[in-house]
Amino acid sequence: MANTLGIIKPDGVKRKLVGNVISRIERDGLILRGVKVLKLSKDQAQKFYAVHEGKPFYNSLVEFMTSGPIVVMVIGGHDSIDRWRNLMGATDPAKARYNTIRREYGTSIEKNVVHGSDSEATAKTEVAFFFNDDEILPKGI
Ligand code: IDP
Ligand code: MG
């Protein structure tokens, strides 16, 4: 029952897709245990995506992720990590399954509207990147 981190990226916020994305999370039976609206600094974005440092898309990704406000979410529920990744769809919207958020709203492999942690280990560090323990709704409430 591990929590995972979801982000609505700057393209999603700009295009007013916040309500829509959260609605899909709720409809899927996942649980919103924490939420914040914020704008990443360049330093924060570089750290958050450090695993991609050196890749050709890294600098552009950091620029994109700092281009406007984002919504960060702690998403819980049974199997939340995989279920949120499945709801998002593949990284490249053109290759994502129908009925996924990225397929429906993504406009490029970079501007793909949402982020989700990809394993239990990254979920733990990514949630802690944005949330203190007392900012996350405990299980069972
Ligand atoms: P993920 O978000 O599906 O886990 P990652 O490979 O971890 O995909 O990449 C992180 C983010 O970097 C992607 O969501 C996307 O915004 C961007 N990205 C990934 N691959 C490319 C690429 O080939 N070109 C441009 N941007 C990319
Ligand atoms: Mg990833």
Side-chain angles (χ1 to χ4, degrees):
M1 275 286 256
N3 290 327
T4 191
L5 184 82
I7 303 180
I8 306 175
K9 296 183 180 185
D11 56 336
V13 175
K14 261 186 206 116
R15 289 166 56 212
K16 306 192 186 298
L17 296 171
V18 172
N20 206 305
V21 170
I22 291 177
S23 171
R24 295 189 64 140
I25 290 168
E26 291 180 321
R27 253 197 288 155
D28 205 63
L30 290 161
I31 301 157
L32 206 53
R33 294 199 198 279
V35 64
K36 288 181 188 180
V37 185
L38 54 93
K39 192 164 180 285
L40 285 177
S41 67
K42 187 175 175 183
D43 184 60
Q44 280 178 308
Q46 285 174 331
K47 281 196 182 117
F48 185 79
Y49 280 116
V51 63
H52 295 303
E53 201 179 340
K55 291 184 187 165
F57 60 83
Y58 179 69
N59 289 338
S60 175
L61 176 62
V62 168
E63 198 163 310
F64 164 53
M65 288 302 292
T66 55
S67 68
I70 62 172
V71 176
V72 293
M73 304 172 286
V74 181
I75 301 170
H78 180 69
D79 217 7
S80 64
I81 298 169
D82 287 346
R83 279 167 65 203
W84 172 231
R85 294 281 302 189
N86 285 334
L87 193 54
M88 292 199 308
T91 309
D92 183 354
K95 294 181 183 146
R97 272 187 306 101
Y98 284 99
N99 234 347
T100 60
I101 293 167
R102 284 168 163 175
R103 177 75 181 218
E104 216 160 307
Y105 303 115
T107 52
S108 72
I109 190 166
E110 178 183 78
K111 293 179 177 56
N112 56 8
V113 185
V114 280
H115 167 86
S117 311
D118 63 6
S119 71
E120 228 169 282
T122 55
K124 206 169 176 182
T125 55
E126 289 184 357
V127 166
F129 192 92
F130 291 108
F131 292 87
N132 297 318
D133 284 348
D134 65 2
E135 295 172 318
I136 302 168
L137 192 71
K139 282 158 203 181
I141 290 186

